Amino acid sequence: MACGEVPRLRQQGPLLPLKAFRYFFRSDIEELRRDFQTTGFIEDEVIRQNRFTTSKAKLPIYCRFGTPEPDLFAFAAAGDELYQPVVDDGSDVEERPPTPPDQADDDQPRGIDAELSQLWRQFVSDLTSKSPNPRGGEIRPSYMKLTPNERYSSSEAPYKSLHVYEIWTDVWYKNAPEEDWEVCFNNLFPPVGFVSSTRRQGYKPSPYYQDWMVILEQNHDNAPLVERIRDEFRKRIFAWEWMPKAESDKMWTTSAKKDGKRAFTRWPAKEGRDAAPVILLKKNAVPIFVCPEDEGSTGDI
């Protein structure tokens, strides 16, 4: 080694071209990272708490082909940016081969607005996709009537609709104040300093939640920015007509509180307390249980 030269360490970004990386690992870099990510998670043996069994079904990364989707947020205009690790790209090393033009942007980080817009769309896709199914295997249809494509999309339309009959076969519901919504929001998007268990049902397999844990970890010294981001996410969720009753140990719950002031109502009405997804409606929302064309027919609502 000549005088003045130092070893170079690369913190992130592939040394292999992306095509070669996919060939050898049969996976994209992001998919591989998610499989082994530990940032923001602690094993249950460490925290020594019993949790419900977590669904380990891996969710797809949200991606829409064709025309790029617009940014949903405007943090960059205010001068905000997410922390990005400093990386020595070795640009001053003469023998380093030039980056092919078709790979020039592969290692470039997205701006804050694009990154948060992708995270939000991934969140909506993950939340809908994680809607629970009845026990009993494939012989029983899903509680949620949406098709797989509708579930994997980032459409917020189902959450802005009160036409319960179009969305659910069975559901527990109640009108809830914003305080109850806030509890659920904090479970979906915890603040800086939060550390998650790997056994939180529905959270760990969700790409959005893994990305959010990384943002909390990398921006722990910039809590005001994280809170502004959470404020924007909160506004979007609170514009919905309903949301799942997200609990600290599970994204969706199917067990409703028994009779009392805070009791839930089941639709369709049934004896007993059979399992069904539990949702919160806005305080003054009026759900619609019957298709207008069927209003004249008899039925149990």
Side-chain angles (χ1 to χ4, degrees):
M1 180 180 294
C3 181
E5 292 185 358
V6 296
R8 293 187 178 274
L9 302 178
R10 189 179 178 96
Q11 182 175 355
Q12 69 175 17
L15 294 177
L16 291 172
L18 281 184
K19 291 182 180 179
F21 189 95
R22 294 190 187 103
Y23 175 81
F24 285 111
F25 294 99
R26 299 293 189 268
S27 173
D28 288 335
I29 298 169
E30 280 300 303
E31 292 177 354
L32 202 63
R33 177 183 69 80
R34 294 178 198 282
D35 287 341
F36 294 96
Q37 176 180 333
T38 58
T39 300
F41 294 92
I42 293 181
E43 293 293 338
D44 286 325
E45 291 77 7
V46 178
I47 61 175
R48 297 180 180 178
Q49 293 181 353
N50 293 323
R51 301 288 186 182
F52 288 91
T53 301
T54 302
S55 172
K56 296 180 174 59
K58 187 177 180 180
L59 293 178
I61 304 302
Y62 172 78
C63 180
R64 180 176 176 179
F65 297 98
T67 305
E69 295 181 285
D71 291 339
L72 302 174
F73 308 100
F75 287 95
D80 292 322
E81 59 182 14
L82 294 172
Y83 170 79
Q84 297 292 341
V86 178
V87 177
D88 181 358
D89 62 4
S91 58
D92 58 333
V93 179
E94 295 181 359
E95 62 270 20
R96 184 189 183 198
T99 302
D102 62 340
Q103 299 172 17
D105 295 330
D106 288 340
D107 290 342
Q108 297 301 316
R110 290 178 294 195
I112 182 173
D113 296 331
E115 185 166 347
L116 294 179
S117 297
Q118 170 65 20
L119 188 149
W120 174 261
R121 293 183 173 109
Q122 185 71 56
F123 159 68
V124 177
S125 174
D126 292 349
L127 186 67
T128 310
S129 299
K130 276 299 179 183
S131 172
N133 294 322
R135 292 184 178 181
E138 298 179 357
I139 61 174
R140 299 185 63 186
S142 298
Y143 293 120
M144 182 175 276
K145 293 182 177 181
L146 302 183
T147 66
N149 285 341
E150 290 171 332
R151 291 190 183 212
Y152 290 140
S153 77
S154 64
S155 174
E156 299 175 57
Y159 300 98
K160 296 181 178 181
S161 172
L162 288 170
H163 291 77
V164 176
Y165 68 92
E166 293 182 340
I167 304 171
W168 302 106
T169 62
D170 300 82
V171 69
W172 287 99
Y173 71 93
K174 78 169 183 178
N175 296 92
E178 284 194 356
E179 290 79 8
D180 290 2
W181 282 56
E182 182 70 19
V183 172
C184 297
F185 172 79
N186 288 333
N187 289 327
L188 294 169
F189 286 102
V192 168
F194 178 83
V195 178
S196 178
S197 164
T198 55
R199 291 174 63 87
R200 297 185 78 209
Q201 187 174 344
Y203 292 100
K204 181 63 169 68
S206 300
Y208 102 85
Y209 195 76
Q210 297 182 24
D211 290 343
W212 182 246
M213 289 293 101
V214 172
I215 287 178
L216 294 185
E217 174 70 17
Q218 293 183 344
N219 297 272
H220 65 276
D221 290 333
N222 196 356
L225 171 60
V226 175
E227 282 307 303
R228 290 197 296 275
I229 294 172
R230 294 178 75 239
D231 285 343
E232 291 299 315
F233 289 171
R234 182 185 291 105
K235 290 176 184 176
R236 297 189 74 93
I237 289 180
F238 279 35
W240 295 351
E241 294 293 343
W242 64 271
M243 71 178 298
K245 188 177 181 295
E247 298 186 347
S248 60
D249 57 358
K250 57 176 70 70
M251 186 180 292
W252 288 83
T253 181
T254 57
S255 177
K257 191 175 181 64
K258 295 182 178 180
D259 295 342
K261 292 183 178 180
R262 302 176 65 82
F264 287 80
T265 302
R266 197 183 197 286
W267 178 84
K270 293 182 180 179
E271 293 185 4
R273 305 196 64 79
D274 289 354
V278 182
I279 65 173
L280 302 180
L281 301 176
K282 278 187 173 178
K283 187 175 182 179
N284 298 316
V286 180
I288 301 172
F289 299 108
V290 179
C291 176
E293 298 176 356
D294 299 332
E295 285 184 347
S297 63
T298 60
D300 183 10
I301 62 173

